[in-house]
Amino acid sequence: MGETNVSTREGRTAAGTSPLEAEGTRPAGSFVRRLRTPRRPRIWYELALIAVSYWLYSLVRNAVPEQRAAAMQNADWIWQAEQAIGLAFERGVNQAVNSVTWLVVGMNYYYATLHFIVTIAVLVWLYRRHPGRYAAMRTVLFVTTGLALVGFYFFPLAPPRLLEGGGFVDTVLVHQTWGSMASGDLKHMTNQYAAMPSMHIGWSLWCGLALFTLARVPWVRVLAVLYPLVTLVVIIATANHFWLDAIGGLLCLAAALAVTHLWYGRAPHRMGAVRGRPEGARGTARATTADPQRIGQAAAAESARPAFEDEPAGR
C-alpha cells in the first residue's frame, strides 16, 4: 500500500508537473501560455481597458505637434504624386457629392458617428458570441491603432479639404452639419494634421473582417464587405482623406494581423472556444489516480492535447 502511494506521487511529479510547479512556483512559460489561451473575458476589465486605451490614443494623437508646414507640404506631395500616376480623383468625387445636399449631409453624419458606433457594436458582439476569439480580435484593433499613432507622429498630413489651392470643399463647413471634429468649432480639440493613416479605414476593415469571418448570416457578411467600401467613398467625398491614407490604414491592419498571428500562433478568427474541463479529462484523472501504471500514458495524452479547440463560426 505504501509503495503504491509513493509511486503515485513520484509518477505525478515526473509526468504531470515540474519540480518548480510542485514547490508552488510557476515557470514563466506557463504564464505566457495562459495569456495565449482563449478564456472568457471579464466585462469590467475590458471596459476599463478600452476606456484607458482610447484616452491614451486621444492624448497621444492630440499631443503630436501639428507641424502645419510639414503637413501641408506632405499633402501637396501626395496630391502631385496622385496626379502623376493619373489617380487624383478625390477632388472630382468631392465636388460631385457636394452638389447633392442630402447625400453629402448624410455622409457628414456617417463620417462623424458610425466610425465609433459600428466598432463598439462589433466589440460587444465578439464579447457575447465569440469570447474565445474576443481577446485576439481586440488585440488586432489595438495594434492597428497603435501603429497609426506612429504614422501620425512621423508623417503629419493635412486632409484634402485643407489643401491650399486644391479646390476641395470642406463639406461640414459648407453645409453647417455636425461632423468631423477637425472642422468648425471643434477643430481646436483634435490634431487636424493626423490624416495618415486613415483609422476610419483601419477600423472599418477590422469590423468587416470580424463579421465576414465569423458571422453565418449571409446578409451580415454582405454588410461586412460593403461597410469598408462605403467608408472609403465617404472619407474621399467629404475631403477628409486621400485614397493613399486608406492604403495606410490597410497596411496598419495587415501588420496588426501579422503580429497577432505570431503571438497566438494562428489567425484570430481561428482561435478556439472557451470551454470548461471536458468530462473525459476528469474521468481520465480519476482513472490515473486509481491506476498508477496509466499515469505516464495519461500525461502524454494530456500534453498532446491542443491548448484549445476550434469553435464553429457563429456559435
Side-chain angles (χ1 to χ4, degrees):
M1 187 72 175
E3 294 179 357
T4 301
N5 291 336
V6 170
S7 62
T8 300
R9 294 191 188 97
E10 291 176 350
R12 284 178 181 169
T13 301
T17 60
S18 67
L20 288 175
E21 289 177 305
E23 294 175 5
T25 304
R26 290 175 176 261
S30 64
F31 174 73
V32 173
R33 184 174 183 273
R34 184 170 181 270
L35 290 178
R36 298 172 63 187
T37 302
R39 62 180 182 272
R40 189 170 299 279
R42 292 166 292 179
I43 181 65
W44 294 115
Y45 172 81
E46 294 299 328
L47 289 176
L49 182 63
I50 292 172
V52 171
S53 298
Y54 185 74
W55 175 74
L56 288 174
Y57 166 75
S58 300
L59 184 67
V60 173
R61 182 180 187 271
N62 297 337
V64 172
E66 291 199 352
Q67 303 175 346
R68 182 181 185 278
M72 298 300 293
Q73 183 178 359
N74 289 335
D76 185 65
W77 177 82
I78 284 185
W79 183 234
Q80 290 183 13
E82 291 184 354
Q83 289 177 323
I85 63 176
L87 292 176
F89 52 79
E90 292 95 336
R91 182 171 57 194
V93 175
N94 171 239
Q95 293 178 350
V97 172
N98 183 65
S99 63
V100 185
T101 303
W102 64 268
L103 180 59
V104 71
V105 168
M107 287 187 171
N108 285 340
Y109 289 125
Y110 179 109
Y111 183 88
T113 59
L114 292 191
H115 177 55
F116 300 102
I117 294 174
V118 175
T119 304
I120 293 172
V122 173
L123 278 170
V124 172
W125 176 74
L126 287 169
Y127 179 89
R128 293 179 59 87
R129 298 298 302 274
H130 299 276
R133 300 181 177 99
Y134 173 85
M137 293 300 298
R138 179 249 290 148
T139 300
V140 174
L141 182 64
F142 282 15
V143 174
T144 300
T145 306
L147 292 174
L149 291 175
V150 177
F152 298 156
Y153 186 88
F154 288 102
F155 193 78
L157 180 67
R161 58 185 171 74
L162 296 182
L163 189 61
E164 297 176 354
F168 291 93
V169 179
D170 189 331
T171 59
V172 171
L173 289 180
V174 170
H175 298 277
Q176 300 181 345
T177 57
W178 178 78
S180 171
M181 291 185 67
S183 295
D185 296 334
L186 300 176
K187 65 182 179 181
H188 299 297
M189 297 178 60
T190 187
N191 184 356
Q192 297 190 76
Y193 306 117
M196 171 65 84
S198 168
M199 279 299 91
H200 273 74
I201 291 299
W203 286 16
S204 65
L205 284 171
W206 176 86
C207 292
L209 179 66
L211 292 173
F212 186 81
T213 56
L214 297 177
R216 302 183 68 182
V217 181
W219 65 265
V220 174
R221 302 186 74 188
V222 172
L223 289 179
V225 175
L226 291 178
Y227 177 53
L229 294 177
V230 174
T231 300
L232 176 61
V233 174
V234 168
I235 67 172
I236 291 175
T238 56
N240 279 292
H241 288 281
F242 296 99
W243 65 264
L244 281 175
D245 301 342
I247 299 298
L250 172 62
L251 292 177
C252 286
L253 177 65
L257 286 169
V259 169
T260 307
H261 191 285
L262 287 174
W263 174 251
Y264 287 101
R266 61 177 61 190
H269 70 278
R270 294 188 60 82
M271 294 296 291
V274 175
R275 306 179 188 215
R277 184 173 180 142
E279 287 293 330
R282 289 195 291 268
T284 302
R286 288 194 295 268
T288 55
T289 302
D291 186 0
Q293 295 180 354
R294 298 179 58 189
I295 290 177
Q297 298 176 355
E302 186 66 23
S303 63
R305 185 189 301 275
F308 44 78
E309 297 176 353
D310 282 342
E311 179 186 25
R315 293 187 180 181

mmCIF file of all heavy atoms in Angstrom, residues 29-69:
data_model
loop_
_atom_site.group_PDB
_atom_site.id
_atom_site.type_symbol
_atom_site.label_atom_id
_atom_site.label_comp_id
_atom_site.label_asym_id
_atom_site.label_seq_id
_atom_site.Cartn_x
_atom_site.Cartn_y
_atom_site.Cartn_z
ATOM 1 N N GLY A 29 7.039 30.176 -18.717
ATOM 2 C CA GLY A 29 6.343 29.669 -19.893
ATOM 3 C C GLY A 29 4.885 29.419 -19.661
ATOM 4 O O GLY A 29 4.056 29.612 -20.560
ATOM 5 N N SER A 30 4.513 28.989 -18.443
ATOM 6 C CA SER A 30 3.103 28.727 -18.162
ATOM 7 C C SER A 30 2.296 30.013 -18.146
ATOM 8 O O SER A 30 1.134 30.031 -18.544
ATOM 9 C CB SER A 30 2.957 27.997 -16.819
ATOM 10 O OG SER A 30 3.399 28.829 -15.752
ATOM 11 N N PHE A 31 2.897 31.115 -17.701
ATOM 12 C CA PHE A 31 2.204 32.405 -17.692
ATOM 13 C C PHE A 31 1.946 32.887 -19.120
ATOM 14 O O PHE A 31 0.859 33.341 -19.450
ATOM 15 C CB PHE A 31 3.038 33.426 -16.921
ATOM 16 C CG PHE A 31 2.469 34.823 -16.971
ATOM 17 C CD1 PHE A 31 1.331 35.154 -16.248
ATOM 18 C CD2 PHE A 31 3.071 35.808 -17.741
ATOM 19 C CE1 PHE A 31 0.789 36.429 -16.293
ATOM 20 C CE2 PHE A 31 2.554 37.089 -17.792
ATOM 21 C CZ PHE A 31 1.412 37.390 -17.065
ATOM 22 N N VAL A 32 2.971 32.758 -19.976
ATOM 23 C CA VAL A 32 2.813 33.165 -21.371
ATOM 24 C C VAL A 32 1.768 32.295 -22.053
ATOM 25 O O VAL A 32 0.926 32.786 -22.811
ATOM 26 C CB VAL A 32 4.157 33.076 -22.119
ATOM 27 C CG1 VAL A 32 3.965 33.330 -23.615
ATOM 28 C CG2 VAL A 32 5.152 34.069 -21.537
ATOM 29 N N ARG A 33 1.812 30.996 -21.779
ATOM 30 C CA ARG A 33 0.843 30.087 -22.395
ATOM 31 C C ARG A 33 -0.578 30.428 -21.962
ATOM 32 O O ARG A 33 -1.523 30.346 -22.747
ATOM 33 C CB ARG A 33 1.170 28.643 -22.013
ATOM 34 C CG ARG A 33 0.283 27.603 -22.683
ATOM 35 C CD ARG A 33 0.797 26.206 -22.349
ATOM 36 N NE ARG A 33 0.001 25.189 -23.028
ATOM 37 C CZ ARG A 33 -1.114 24.674 -22.528
ATOM 38 N NH1 ARG A 33 -1.563 25.080 -21.357
ATOM 39 N NH2 ARG A 33 -1.784 23.758 -23.203
ATOM 40 N N ARG A 34 -0.723 30.849 -20.705
ATOM 41 C CA ARG A 34 -2.055 31.228 -20.207
ATOM 42 C C ARG A 34 -2.550 32.477 -20.927
ATOM 43 O O ARG A 34 -3.733 32.588 -21.253
ATOM 44 C CB ARG A 34 -1.984 31.476 -18.705
ATOM 45 C CG ARG A 34 -3.341 31.779 -18.068
ATOM 46 C CD ARG A 34 -3.234 31.778 -16.555
ATOM 47 N NE ARG A 34 -4.523 32.042 -15.946
ATOM 48 C CZ ARG A 34 -4.969 33.244 -15.642
ATOM 49 N NH1 ARG A 34 -4.211 34.305 -15.895
ATOM 50 N NH2 ARG A 34 -6.150 33.418 -15.086
ATOM 51 N N LEU A 35 -1.642 33.438 -21.194
ATOM 52 C CA LEU A 35 -2.039 34.646 -21.920
ATOM 53 C C LEU A 35 -2.484 34.326 -23.335
ATOM 54 O O LEU A 35 -3.333 35.019 -23.895
ATOM 55 C CB LEU A 35 -0.873 35.638 -21.958
ATOM 56 C CG LEU A 35 -0.489 36.319 -20.649
ATOM 57 C CD1 LEU A 35 0.705 37.220 -20.881
ATOM 58 C CD2 LEU A 35 -1.645 37.106 -20.055
ATOM 59 N N ARG A 36 -1.911 33.278 -23.921
ATOM 60 C CA ARG A 36 -2.211 32.941 -25.312
ATOM 61 C C ARG A 36 -3.367 31.966 -25.430
ATOM 62 O O ARG A 36 -3.752 31.602 -26.544
ATOM 63 C CB ARG A 36 -0.963 32.338 -25.961
ATOM 64 C CG ARG A 36 0.212 33.280 -25.996
ATOM 65 C CD ARG A 36 1.477 32.580 -26.465
ATOM 66 N NE ARG A 36 1.341 32.108 -27.825
ATOM 67 C CZ ARG A 36 2.251 31.349 -28.434
ATOM 68 N NH1 ARG A 36 3.337 30.965 -27.786
ATOM 69 N NH2 ARG A 36 2.069 30.968 -29.680
ATOM 70 N N THR A 37 -3.928 31.512 -24.313
ATOM 71 C CA THR A 37 -5.012 30.543 -24.338
ATOM 72 C C THR A 37 -6.363 31.252 -24.257
ATOM 73 O O THR A 37 -6.550 32.118 -23.403
ATOM 74 C CB THR A 37 -4.889 29.558 -23.167
ATOM 75 O OG1 THR A 37 -3.617 28.897 -23.254
ATOM 76 C CG2 THR A 37 -6.002 28.517 -23.201
ATOM 77 N N PRO A 38 -7.310 30.924 -25.105
ATOM 78 C CA PRO A 38 -8.631 31.569 -25.069
ATOM 79 C C PRO A 38 -9.318 31.357 -23.726
ATOM 80 O O PRO A 38 -9.328 30.247 -23.187
ATOM 81 C CB PRO A 38 -9.405 30.868 -26.192
ATOM 82 C CG PRO A 38 -8.362 30.324 -27.088
ATOM 83 C CD PRO A 38 -7.218 29.937 -26.204
ATOM 84 N N ARG A 39 -9.847 32.411 -23.181
ATOM 85 C CA ARG A 39 -10.641 32.323 -21.958
ATOM 86 C C ARG A 39 -11.680 33.428 -21.976
ATOM 87 O O ARG A 39 -11.526 34.417 -22.684
ATOM 88 C CB ARG A 39 -9.758 32.411 -20.711
ATOM 89 C CG ARG A 39 -8.993 33.704 -20.553
ATOM 90 C CD ARG A 39 -8.160 33.648 -19.276
ATOM 91 N NE ARG A 39 -7.442 34.868 -19.046
ATOM 92 C CZ ARG A 39 -6.244 35.139 -19.526
ATOM 93 N NH1 ARG A 39 -5.655 34.249 -20.295
ATOM 94 N NH2 ARG A 39 -5.658 36.284 -19.268
ATOM 95 N N ARG A 40 -12.708 33.270 -21.188
ATOM 96 C CA ARG A 40 -13.824 34.214 -21.205
ATOM 97 C C ARG A 40 -13.373 35.571 -20.667
ATOM 98 O O ARG A 40 -12.842 35.667 -19.566
ATOM 99 C CB ARG A 40 -14.984 33.675 -20.375
ATOM 100 C CG ARG A 40 -16.260 34.498 -20.509
ATOM 101 C CD ARG A 40 -17.427 33.768 -19.867
ATOM 102 N NE ARG A 40 -17.642 32.484 -20.527
ATOM 103 C CZ ARG A 40 -18.304 32.346 -21.669
ATOM 104 N NH1 ARG A 40 -18.795 33.413 -22.274
ATOM 105 N NH2 ARG A 40 -18.476 31.157 -22.200
ATOM 106 N N PRO A 41 -13.563 36.638 -21.452
ATOM 107 C CA PRO A 41 -13.135 37.972 -20.992
ATOM 108 C C PRO A 41 -14.002 38.461 -19.846
ATOM 109 O O PRO A 41 -15.165 38.083 -19.716
ATOM 110 C CB PRO A 41 -13.312 38.843 -22.238
ATOM 111 C CG PRO A 41 -14.341 38.137 -23.058
ATOM 112 C CD PRO A 41 -14.145 36.670 -22.799
ATOM 113 N N ARG A 42 -13.423 39.321 -19.028
ATOM 114 C CA ARG A 42 -14.149 39.907 -17.894
ATOM 115 C C ARG A 42 -14.624 41.301 -18.290
ATOM 116 O O ARG A 42 -13.830 42.137 -18.717
ATOM 117 C CB ARG A 42 -13.229 39.970 -16.667
ATOM 118 C CG ARG A 42 -12.876 38.599 -16.105
ATOM 119 C CD ARG A 42 -11.731 38.684 -15.130
ATOM 120 N NE ARG A 42 -10.480 39.049 -15.802
ATOM 121 C CZ ARG A 42 -9.314 39.205 -15.167
ATOM 122 N NH1 ARG A 42 -9.253 39.033 -13.861
ATOM 123 N NH2 ARG A 42 -8.233 39.539 -15.849
ATOM 124 N N ILE A 43 -15.906 41.542 -18.093
ATOM 125 C CA ILE A 43 -16.540 42.740 -18.631
ATOM 126 C C ILE A 43 -15.920 44.019 -18.086
ATOM 127 O O ILE A 43 -15.620 44.950 -18.846
ATOM 128 C CB ILE A 43 -18.072 42.718 -18.364
ATOM 129 C CG1 ILE A 43 -18.737 43.964 -18.944
ATOM 130 C CG2 ILE A 43 -18.362 42.568 -16.873
ATOM 131 C CD1 ILE A 43 -18.661 44.061 -20.434
ATOM 132 N N TRP A 44 -15.697 44.114 -16.777
ATOM 133 C CA TRP A 44 -15.182 45.350 -16.213
ATOM 134 C C TRP A 44 -13.740 45.596 -16.629
ATOM 135 O O TRP A 44 -13.341 46.740 -16.867
ATOM 136 C CB TRP A 44 -15.299 45.332 -14.680
ATOM 137 C CG TRP A 44 -16.720 45.318 -14.238
ATOM 138 C CD1 TRP A 44 -17.383 44.330 -13.572
ATOM 139 C CD2 TRP A 44 -17.692 46.354 -14.480
ATOM 140 N NE1 TRP A 44 -18.694 44.674 -13.378
ATOM 141 C CE2 TRP A 44 -18.916 45.911 -13.915
ATOM 142 C CE3 TRP A 44 -17.654 47.601 -15.099
ATOM 143 C CZ2 TRP A 44 -20.083 46.679 -13.965
ATOM 144 C CZ3 TRP A 44 -18.818 48.364 -15.149
ATOM 145 C CH2 TRP A 44 -20.000 47.902 -14.590
ATOM 146 N N TYR A 45 -12.971 44.505 -16.739
ATOM 147 C CA TYR A 45 -11.590 44.647 -17.208
ATOM 148 C C TYR A 45 -11.562 45.166 -18.641
ATOM 149 O O TYR A 45 -10.770 46.055 -18.975
ATOM 150 C CB TYR A 45 -10.886 43.288 -17.116
ATOM 151 C CG TYR A 45 -9.519 43.268 -17.758
ATOM 152 C CD1 TYR A 45 -8.411 43.762 -17.083
ATOM 153 C CD2 TYR A 45 -9.346 42.749 -19.044
ATOM 154 C CE1 TYR A 45 -7.151 43.756 -17.663
ATOM 155 C CE2 TYR A 45 -8.085 42.733 -19.641
ATOM 156 C CZ TYR A 45 -7.003 43.241 -18.943
ATOM 157 O OH TYR A 45 -5.761 43.227 -19.538
ATOM 158 N N GLU A 46 -12.437 44.619 -19.490
ATOM 159 C CA GLU A 46 -12.454 45.029 -20.891
ATOM 160 C C GLU A 46 -12.918 46.470 -21.049
ATOM 161 O O GLU A 46 -12.371 47.228 -21.840
ATOM 162 C CB GLU A 46 -13.343 44.087 -21.700
ATOM 163 C CG GLU A 46 -12.824 42.669 -21.796
ATOM 164 C CD GLU A 46 -11.466 42.584 -22.470
ATOM 165 O OE1 GLU A 46 -11.184 43.421 -23.359
ATOM 166 O OE2 GLU A 46 -10.685 41.691 -22.116
ATOM 167 N N LEU A 47 -13.943 46.860 -20.293
ATOM 168 C CA LEU A 47 -14.418 48.243 -20.370
ATOM 169 C C LEU A 47 -13.334 49.217 -19.930
ATOM 170 O O LEU A 47 -13.119 50.260 -20.566
ATOM 171 C CB LEU A 47 -15.668 48.414 -19.507
ATOM 172 C CG LEU A 47 -16.946 47.749 -20.024
ATOM 173 C CD1 LEU A 47 -18.078 47.913 -19.010
ATOM 174 C CD2 LEU A 47 -17.359 48.331 -21.374
ATOM 175 N N ALA A 48 -12.652 48.872 -18.847
ATOM 176 C CA ALA A 48 -11.581 49.735 -18.355
ATOM 177 C C ALA A 48 -10.429 49.799 -19.364
ATOM 178 O O ALA A 48 -9.868 50.871 -19.621
ATOM 179 C CB ALA A 48 -11.080 49.241 -17.001
ATOM 180 N N LEU A 49 -10.097 48.652 -19.947
ATOM 181 C CA LEU A 49 -9.005 48.606 -20.916
ATOM 182 C C LEU A 49 -9.326 49.446 -22.147
ATOM 183 O O LEU A 49 -8.479 50.208 -22.635
ATOM 184 C CB LEU A 49 -8.741 47.156 -21.315
ATOM 185 C CG LEU A 49 -7.595 46.922 -22.304
ATOM 186 C CD1 LEU A 49 -6.275 47.368 -21.697
ATOM 187 C CD2 LEU A 49 -7.536 45.447 -22.703
ATOM 188 N N ILE A 50 -10.546 49.333 -22.648
ATOM 189 C CA ILE A 50 -10.941 50.104 -23.824
ATOM 190 C C ILE A 50 -10.951 51.603 -23.515
ATOM 191 O O ILE A 50 -10.473 52.424 -24.301
ATOM 192 C CB ILE A 50 -12.308 49.633 -24.335
ATOM 193 C CG1 ILE A 50 -12.203 48.208 -24.899
ATOM 194 C CG2 ILE A 50 -12.853 50.584 -25.394
ATOM 195 C CD1 ILE A 50 -13.525 47.590 -25.249
ATOM 196 N N ALA A 51 -11.506 51.956 -22.346
ATOM 197 C CA ALA A 51 -11.581 53.375 -21.976
ATOM 198 C C ALA A 51 -10.182 53.975 -21.828
ATOM 199 O O ALA A 51 -9.905 55.061 -22.359
ATOM 200 C CB ALA A 51 -12.370 53.529 -20.677
ATOM 201 N N VAL A 52 -9.307 53.285 -21.123
ATOM 202 C CA VAL A 52 -7.951 53.799 -20.918
ATOM 203 C C VAL A 52 -7.195 53.862 -22.241
ATOM 204 O O VAL A 52 -6.477 54.825 -22.516
ATOM 205 C CB VAL A 52 -7.196 52.922 -19.896
ATOM 206 C CG1 VAL A 52 -5.716 53.317 -19.842
ATOM 207 C CG2 VAL A 52 -7.822 53.058 -18.519
ATOM 208 N N SER A 53 -7.369 52.840 -23.066
ATOM 209 C CA SER A 53 -6.659 52.797 -24.344
ATOM 210 C C SER A 53 -7.100 53.943 -25.249
ATOM 211 O O SER A 53 -6.266 54.598 -25.889
ATOM 212 C CB SER A 53 -6.894 51.446 -25.038
ATOM 213 O OG SER A 53 -6.386 50.386 -24.264
ATOM 214 N N TYR A 54 -8.421 54.197 -25.303
ATOM 215 C CA TYR A 54 -8.888 55.287 -26.153
ATOM 216 C C TYR A 54 -8.454 56.637 -25.604
ATOM 217 O O TYR A 54 -8.124 57.553 -26.372
ATOM 218 C CB TYR A 54 -10.402 55.254 -26.306
ATOM 219 C CG TYR A 54 -10.896 56.302 -27.280
ATOM 220 C CD1 TYR A 54 -10.709 56.142 -28.649
ATOM 221 C CD2 TYR A 54 -11.491 57.481 -26.829
ATOM 222 C CE1 TYR A 54 -11.115 57.112 -29.547
ATOM 223 C CE2 TYR A 54 -11.906 58.451 -27.721
ATOM 224 C CZ TYR A 54 -11.714 58.256 -29.079
ATOM 225 O OH TYR A 54 -12.096 59.229 -29.962
ATOM 226 N N TRP A 55 -8.422 56.768 -24.290
ATOM 227 C CA TRP A 55 -7.947 58.013 -23.683
ATOM 228 C C TRP A 55 -6.484 58.259 -24.037
ATOM 229 O O TRP A 55 -6.096 59.371 -24.414
ATOM 230 C CB TRP A 55 -8.129 57.955 -22.178
ATOM 231 C CG TRP A 55 -7.556 59.150 -21.461
ATOM 232 C CD1 TRP A 55 -8.066 60.418 -21.417
ATOM 233 C CD2 TRP A 55 -6.339 59.186 -20.709
ATOM 234 N NE1 TRP A 55 -7.248 61.239 -20.678
ATOM 235 C CE2 TRP A 55 -6.189 60.512 -20.223
ATOM 236 C CE3 TRP A 55 -5.387 58.223 -20.378
ATOM 237 C CZ2 TRP A 55 -5.111 60.893 -19.442
ATOM 238 C CZ3 TRP A 55 -4.301 58.608 -19.585
ATOM 239 C CH2 TRP A 55 -4.171 59.918 -19.136
ATOM 240 N N LEU A 56 -5.668 57.210 -23.931
ATOM 241 C CA LEU A 56 -4.256 57.337 -24.284
ATOM 242 C C LEU A 56 -4.091 57.646 -25.773
ATOM 243 O O LEU A 56 -3.248 58.450 -26.168
ATOM 244 C CB LEU A 56 -3.498 56.058 -23.921
ATOM 245 C CG LEU A 56 -3.282 55.811 -22.427
ATOM 246 C CD1 LEU A 56 -2.642 54.443 -22.215
ATOM 247 C CD2 LEU A 56 -2.413 56.896 -21.808
ATOM 248 N N TYR A 57 -4.910 56.982 -26.601
ATOM 249 C CA TYR A 57 -4.852 57.232 -28.045
ATOM 250 C C TYR A 57 -5.158 58.690 -28.351
ATOM 251 O O TYR A 57 -4.442 59.354 -29.108
ATOM 252 C CB TYR A 57 -5.844 56.313 -28.759
ATOM 253 C CG TYR A 57 -6.127 56.699 -30.197
ATOM 254 C CD1 TYR A 57 -5.195 56.451 -31.205
ATOM 255 C CD2 TYR A 57 -7.333 57.306 -30.551
ATOM 256 C CE1 TYR A 57 -5.451 56.800 -32.520
ATOM 257 C CE2 TYR A 57 -7.593 57.656 -31.860
ATOM 258 C CZ TYR A 57 -6.660 57.403 -32.844
ATOM 259 O OH TYR A 57 -6.929 57.761 -34.139
ATOM 260 N N SER A 58 -6.227 59.215 -27.753
ATOM 261 C CA SER A 58 -6.594 60.613 -27.989
ATOM 262 C C SER A 58 -5.527 61.557 -27.457
ATOM 263 O O SER A 58 -5.188 62.560 -28.096
ATOM 264 C CB SER A 58 -7.942 60.914 -27.323
ATOM 265 O OG SER A 58 -8.964 60.091 -27.841
ATOM 266 N N LEU A 59 -4.977 61.224 -26.281
ATOM 267 C CA LEU A 59 -3.957 62.070 -25.666
ATOM 268 C C LEU A 59 -2.708 62.145 -26.548
ATOM 269 O O LEU A 59 -2.195 63.228 -26.841
ATOM 270 C CB LEU A 59 -3.602 61.526 -24.285
ATOM 271 C CG LEU A 59 -2.602 62.346 -23.460
ATOM 272 C CD1 LEU A 59 -3.214 63.676 -23.071
ATOM 273 C CD2 LEU A 59 -2.190 61.564 -22.217
ATOM 274 N N VAL A 60 -2.244 60.970 -26.997
ATOM 275 C CA VAL A 60 -1.032 60.933 -27.818
ATOM 276 C C VAL A 60 -1.291 61.579 -29.181
ATOM 277 O O VAL A 60 -0.484 62.366 -29.678
ATOM 278 C CB VAL A 60 -0.543 59.489 -27.987
ATOM 279 C CG1 VAL A 60 0.616 59.433 -28.976
ATOM 280 C CG2 VAL A 60 -0.120 58.911 -26.646
ATOM 281 N N ARG A 61 -2.436 61.264 -29.783
ATOM 282 C CA ARG A 61 -2.757 61.811 -31.109
ATOM 283 C C ARG A 61 -2.803 63.329 -31.079
ATOM 284 O O ARG A 61 -2.289 64.005 -31.976
ATOM 285 C CB ARG A 61 -4.091 61.258 -31.582
ATOM 286 C CG ARG A 61 -4.514 61.705 -32.980
ATOM 287 C CD ARG A 61 -5.852 61.087 -33.325
ATOM 288 N NE ARG A 61 -6.229 61.341 -34.716
ATOM 289 C CZ ARG A 61 -6.912 62.392 -35.122
ATOM 290 N NH1 ARG A 61 -7.291 63.301 -34.258
ATOM 291 N NH2 ARG A 61 -7.230 62.537 -36.403
ATOM 292 N N ASN A 62 -3.410 63.874 -30.033
ATOM 293 C CA ASN A 62 -3.543 65.326 -29.964
ATOM 294 C C ASN A 62 -2.274 65.999 -29.450
ATOM 295 O O ASN A 62 -2.101 67.210 -29.621
ATOM 296 C CB ASN A 62 -4.720 65.703 -29.063
ATOM 297 C CG ASN A 62 -6.041 65.192 -29.618
ATOM 298 O OD1 ASN A 62 -6.159 64.955 -30.808
ATOM 299 N ND2 ASN A 62 -7.018 65.018 -28.744
ATOM 300 N N ALA A 63 -1.395 65.210 -28.792
ATOM 301 C CA ALA A 63 -0.145 65.772 -28.285
ATOM 302 C C ALA A 63 0.929 65.844 -29.358
ATOM 303 O O ALA A 63 1.929 66.544 -29.191
ATOM 304 C CB ALA A 63 0.365 64.940 -27.107
ATOM 305 N N VAL A 64 0.746 65.103 -30.447
ATOM 306 C CA VAL A 64 1.708 65.149 -31.546
ATOM 307 C C VAL A 64 1.728 66.572 -32.116
ATOM 308 O O VAL A 64 0.668 67.129 -32.414
ATOM 309 C CB VAL A 64 1.335 64.140 -32.648
ATOM 310 C CG1 VAL A 64 2.228 64.325 -33.868
ATOM 311 C CG2 VAL A 64 1.474 62.720 -32.115
ATOM 312 N N PRO A 65 2.901 67.156 -32.243
ATOM 313 C CA PRO A 65 2.955 68.516 -32.808
ATOM 314 C C PRO A 65 2.263 68.578 -34.169
ATOM 315 O O PRO A 65 2.467 67.724 -35.020
ATOM 316 C CB PRO A 65 4.466 68.770 -32.949
ATOM 317 C CG PRO A 65 5.099 67.856 -31.957
ATOM 318 C CD PRO A 65 4.227 66.640 -31.915
ATOM 319 N N GLU A 66 1.427 69.588 -34.337
ATOM 320 C CA GLU A 66 0.644 69.670 -35.564
ATOM 321 C C GLU A 66 1.516 69.904 -36.791
ATOM 322 O O GLU A 66 1.206 69.435 -37.875
ATOM 323 C CB GLU A 66 -0.411 70.774 -35.437
ATOM 324 C CG GLU A 66 -1.497 70.434 -34.431
ATOM 325 C CD GLU A 66 -2.743 71.271 -34.650
ATOM 326 O OE1 GLU A 66 -2.701 72.202 -35.475
ATOM 327 O OE2 GLU A 66 -3.758 70.977 -34.007
ATOM 328 N N GLN A 67 2.619 70.617 -36.649
ATOM 329 C CA GLN A 67 3.571 70.779 -37.736
ATOM 330 C C GLN A 67 2.850 71.152 -39.040
ATOM 331 O O GLN A 67 2.890 70.428 -40.027
ATOM 332 C CB GLN A 67 4.387 69.498 -37.928
ATOM 333 C CG GLN A 67 5.127 69.084 -36.668
ATOM 334 C CD GLN A 67 5.838 67.748 -36.817
ATOM 335 O OE1 GLN A 67 5.590 66.998 -37.754
ATOM 336 N NE2 GLN A 67 6.724 67.446 -35.898
ATOM 337 N N ARG A 68 2.203 72.312 -39.023
ATOM 338 C CA ARG A 68 1.376 72.702 -40.166
ATOM 339 C C ARG A 68 2.173 72.754 -41.461
ATOM 340 O O ARG A 68 1.725 72.261 -42.505
ATOM 341 C CB ARG A 68 0.732 74.060 -39.885
ATOM 342 C CG ARG A 68 -0.183 74.524 -41.018
ATOM 343 C CD ARG A 68 -0.793 75.877 -40.723
ATOM 344 N NE ARG A 68 -1.742 76.245 -41.764
ATOM 345 C CZ ARG A 68 -1.401 76.783 -42.938
ATOM 346 N NH1 ARG A 68 -0.107 77.026 -43.202
ATOM 347 N NH2 ARG A 68 -2.324 77.085 -43.828
ATOM 348 N N ALA A 69 3.366 73.336 -41.406
ATOM 349 C CA ALA A 69 4.152 73.477 -42.632
ATOM 350 C C ALA A 69 4.480 72.115 -43.231
ATOM 351 O O ALA A 69 4.319 71.889 -44.437
ATOM 352 C CB ALA A 69 5.438 74.250 -42.335
#
